[in-house]
Amino acid sequence: MAFANRFVCFLFYVGITFCTFLSPPVLAQTVLQFTARTDSVGAKLGMELLEEAYGRLGVSIEMIEMPGLRAITTANNGESDGEVIRLERVLPTYPNLRMVPETLIYIDSVVATKKLNFTIRGWESIRYYIAGTVCGYHSIQKRLKDQKHYVADSIHSSLKMLDQDRVDLVVMNNLDLIRGLNETGLKGIKMMQPPLTHSPLHHMLHKKHEALVPRVNEVLKEMKADGTHQRIIDAFIAKWQTADDD
């Protein structure tokens, strides 16, 4: 009986050791799927940064695009492995997400106009104008809820509303605006300065991957220290500038 007990313990020890030994390769073979709002330029930039970060950890990743609310709900429910980028303030509403503390990118909420010329001093500056924005920009929609505004189903549609004088201005993030103007070729629409907000965006993981948070955080710090982070951002933005010149 004593021998049998020792043999069982031995097998248990070997099993644990074997599983521990296999863990890194198993993780390396897993493709983590991160959701993001459809057609978000910020998410595409974030994904390029994360591909480098996770690549250094030996982990493959891919992005799944869907409408903004569905994307974060999917991540919170554990149906994906997390979100590419989100504002920190979503955490109380989506408690199953774990934020990587190191900022992934900064994004600006900006005003685009066609005929108006005024000084931007925060959200109060645009309160009495008819505004447009894009479905999925939930934080912007909340800011506009007390004034007359329209929510378009795409960046292109929102810019066309402005071009056709159906709204006085549109509010979206700076990267999406640059991309939208390049793709539509609309002239006479300008981005006003300064931005309404300058906000840090963070990578989010579902709680089932909580152990990855400090590892990803450390890699992002390393990328910033060795210059890789900024090089990826500069190259990404240069692509849009080239498109604009063409």
Side-chain angles (χ1 to χ4, degrees), residues 147-194:
Q147 68 189 82
K148 187 173 182 180
H149 71 280
Y150 297 94
V151 179
D153 60 2
S154 70
I155 295 165
H156 291 184
S157 296
S158 68
L159 292 174
K160 287 176 182 177
M161 283 197 303
L162 178 59
D163 186 59
Q164 295 167 3
D165 298 321
R166 294 171 55 197
V167 295
D168 299 319
L169 54 85
V170 295
V171 184
M172 64 179 70
N173 77 52
N174 56 324
L175 295 177
D176 284 346
L177 176 58
I178 293 169
R179 193 273 302 272
L181 290 176
N182 285 341
E183 292 180 346
T184 60
L186 294 173
K187 305 299 182 184
I189 294 176
K190 60 185 178 182
M191 181 192 304
M192 300 187 71
Q193 293 294 339

Side-chain angles (χ1 to χ4, degrees), residues 15-246:
I16 292 295
T17 303
F18 185 67
C19 290
T20 302
F21 177 74
L22 281 181
S23 292
V26 169
L27 181 59
Q29 292 168 11
T30 301
V31 178
L32 298 183
Q33 297 181 323
F34 300 126
T35 48
R37 180 175 58 81
T38 303
D39 286 335
S40 168
V41 179
K44 288 178 171 61
L45 171 55
M47 191 63 182
E48 289 197 14
L49 291 164
L50 291 178
E51 284 174 342
E52 172 67 23
Y54 280 94
R56 294 187 182 191
L57 294 173
V59 179
S60 299
I61 63 172
E62 63 182 24
M63 181 169 71
I64 303 174
E65 297 183 68
M66 54 184 67
L69 181 58
R70 182 182 164 201
I72 194 168
T73 302
T74 297
N76 187 66
N77 291 344
E79 297 165 23
S80 74
D81 298 296
E83 275 269 278
V84 176
I85 50 170
R86 281 287 172 174
L87 293 166
E88 181 177 1
R89 63 171 171 259
V90 306
L91 292 174
T93 307
Y94 301 97
N96 293 329
L97 297 180
R98 300 294 182 264
M99 184 183 80
V100 176
E102 193 69 22
T103 299
L104 191 59
I105 63 171
Y106 284 89
I107 207 83
D108 294 339
S109 294
V110 296
V111 174
T113 66
K114 184 180 176 184
K115 299 177 179 178
L116 298 176
N117 188 17
F118 60 95
T119 302
I120 299 287
R121 292 194 178 92
W123 292 94
E124 190 65 23
S125 307
I126 66 171
R127 182 177 178 183
Y128 299 103
Y129 295 105
I130 301 173
T133 191
V134 183
C135 183
Y137 281 132
H138 297 291
S139 59
I140 291 176
Q141 288 176 239
K142 288 179 181 178
R143 292 280 195 171
L144 300 177
K145 65 182 178 65
D146 293 327
Q147 68 189 82
K148 187 173 182 180
H149 71 280
Y150 297 94
V151 179
D153 60 2
S154 70
I155 295 165
H156 291 184
S157 296
S158 68
L159 292 174
K160 287 176 182 177
M161 283 197 303
L162 178 59
D163 186 59
Q164 295 167 3
D165 298 321
R166 294 171 55 197
V167 295
D168 299 319
L169 54 85
V170 295
V171 184
M172 64 179 70
N173 77 52
N174 56 324
L175 295 177
D176 284 346
L177 176 58
I178 293 169
R179 193 273 302 272
L181 290 176
N182 285 341
E183 292 180 346
T184 60
L186 294 173
K187 305 299 182 184
I189 294 176
K190 60 185 178 182
M191 181 192 304
M192 300 187 71
Q193 293 294 339
L196 291 166
T197 59
H198 179 67
S199 305
L201 293 176
H202 297 266
H203 178 43
M204 305 279 180
L205 284 158
H206 186 265
K207 64 181 181 181
K208 63 189 175 186
H209 298 301
E210 192 163 5
L212 271 176
V213 170
R215 296 175 64 193
V216 176
N217 195 64
E218 189 60 33
V219 171
L220 289 178
K221 288 181 178 179
E222 292 172 0
M223 287 170 56
K224 291 180 180 181
D226 65 26
T228 304
H229 186 273
Q230 191 58 49
R231 283 197 296 273
I232 292 173
I233 292 175
D234 291 343
F236 185 91
I237 293 175
K239 287 188 291 188
W240 298 111
Q241 291 175 337
T242 300
D244 191 42
D245 293 339
D246 294 342

